[in-house]
Amino acid sequence: LMKDQVDALVARDVPATYLNSTLTGSEIATRMRRVQRGEIKLLYVAPERFDVGALADRLRDLGVALLAVDEAHCISEWGHDFRPSYLRIAQVRERLGWPPVVALTATATPHVRTDIARQLRLQNQRTIITGFDRRNLRYHVVPTRTDTEKDEALIEILRGREGLAVVYASTRRAVERIAETLNRGGVPAVGYHAGLDDAHRHEVQESFMREQVRVIVATSAFGMGIDKPNVRL
């Protein structure tokens, strides 16, 4: 979800843009012209975009000051099944002219950290590890015996507390059922999952980000890269 991050950067006067599959060919061409004119400081690119065409070569000719790899655990030998293009980022780095690289992840055991460095062909790398203890977060388990009890507990919790909420469910069908249940219970909710078309998914995301709806019920397709500081549940 590059759009949220780019919107936040632009709001802070950082010239940024992104290239991904949600854009038309003419939109991509327009953004690349801005890149070539030196108007863009930070360019977000899905790794799959380097698999075809000459994007890496065009960027190399312009000069890349830094290659930043987000969700870098996907580079590791156990993580790339989800995104095979991550395994080819070292080749992309070579095609870009070996710029300095920073690899960022919140999911890295010592073995994965070593593997990331190996896959990216890093030399004399510096590893920075911060803590994972979030003292502003609290976790609770609410015991229930049936799906009906679970729905009732969820509605009661959401009614009893203020603030935006994200409810995660494991399947698309569960997302749709829970969203419908919450709306019937007087809690405004929308569903988000990979089965929605791009326009509908964008509409749902924007309604939540603009706080036109209080609860978003989603599969794990939602949440990566979302920058929403006032989610409370």
Side-chain angles (χ1 to χ4, degrees):
L1 298 170
M2 303 174 184
K3 181 180 180 301
D4 291 339
Q5 298 186 41
V6 168
D7 287 348
L9 287 165
V10 171
R12 292 170 173 83
D13 296 323
V14 178
T17 192
Y18 63 89
L19 305 176
N20 65 21
S21 59
T22 67
L23 303 174
T24 65
S26 61
E27 287 173 326
I28 290 173
T30 299
R31 294 180 186 211
M32 280 303 298
R33 282 194 291 272
R34 292 189 63 204
V35 171
Q36 290 171 314
R37 290 196 297 264
E39 298 173 7
I40 297 299
K41 180 77 172 176
L42 187 57
L43 177 66
Y44 284 76
V45 183
E48 288 80 5
R49 187 153 292 276
F50 289 108
D51 291 344
V52 294
L55 178 61
D57 302 320
R58 294 173 67 184
L59 293 176
R60 181 194 60 218
D61 293 340
L62 296 173
V64 175
L66 176 71
L67 174 64
V69 183
D70 198 12
E71 308 296 352
H73 55 274
C74 293
I75 292 172
S76 181
E77 60 188 357
W78 65 267
H80 66 265
D81 289 345
F82 173 52
R83 302 282 293 276
S85 295
Y86 268 88
L87 266 186
R88 294 185 281 276
I89 289 180
Q91 298 170 26
V92 171
R93 186 185 178 208
E94 181 178 5
R95 290 165 62 195
L96 291 174
W98 296 104
V101 63
V102 57
L104 306 161
T105 176
T107 312
T109 62
H111 172 73
V112 172
R113 292 197 296 269
T114 300
D115 203 24
I116 289 171
R118 181 178 63 83
Q119 295 281 6
L120 285 176
R121 304 177 205 168
L122 302 183
Q123 295 180 347
N124 303 317
Q125 76 272 10
R126 184 181 177 193
T127 303
I128 301 171
I129 304 169
T130 59
F132 60 86
D133 182 18
R134 300 286 194 87
R135 300 191 175 219
N136 60 326
L137 301 182
R138 287 178 293 172
Y139 300 89
H140 303 272
V141 176
V142 180
T144 57
R145 290 175 295 182
T146 66
D147 283 344
T148 299
E149 284 188 13
K150 199 182 294 185
D151 292 342
E152 291 170 351
L154 179 59
I155 291 171
E156 183 180 348
I157 289 167
L158 290 169
R159 282 177 175 171
R161 289 168 176 78
E162 296 182 352
L164 300 179
V166 180
V167 177
Y168 281 108
S170 58
T171 65
R172 300 176 187 181
R173 182 177 296 179
V175 164
E176 293 169 356
R177 185 192 67 77
I178 293 169
E180 184 179 342
T181 298
L182 291 178
N183 281 303
R184 282 203 310 266
V187 180
V190 290
Y192 182 104
H193 57 70
L196 304 177
D197 61 61
D198 287 344
H200 190 183
R201 210 161 50 236
H202 177 76
E203 180 184 332
V204 168
Q205 180 182 331
E206 288 296 306
S207 68
F208 181 71
M209 299 300 283
R210 293 193 189 115
E211 301 182 21
Q212 297 166 335
V213 65
R214 185 185 165 213
V215 179
I216 189 162
V217 185
T219 60
S220 57
F222 181 83
M224 293 188 287
I226 291 293
D227 186 7
K228 195 82 176 87
N230 59 338
V231 174
R232 290 292 171 264
L233 295 163

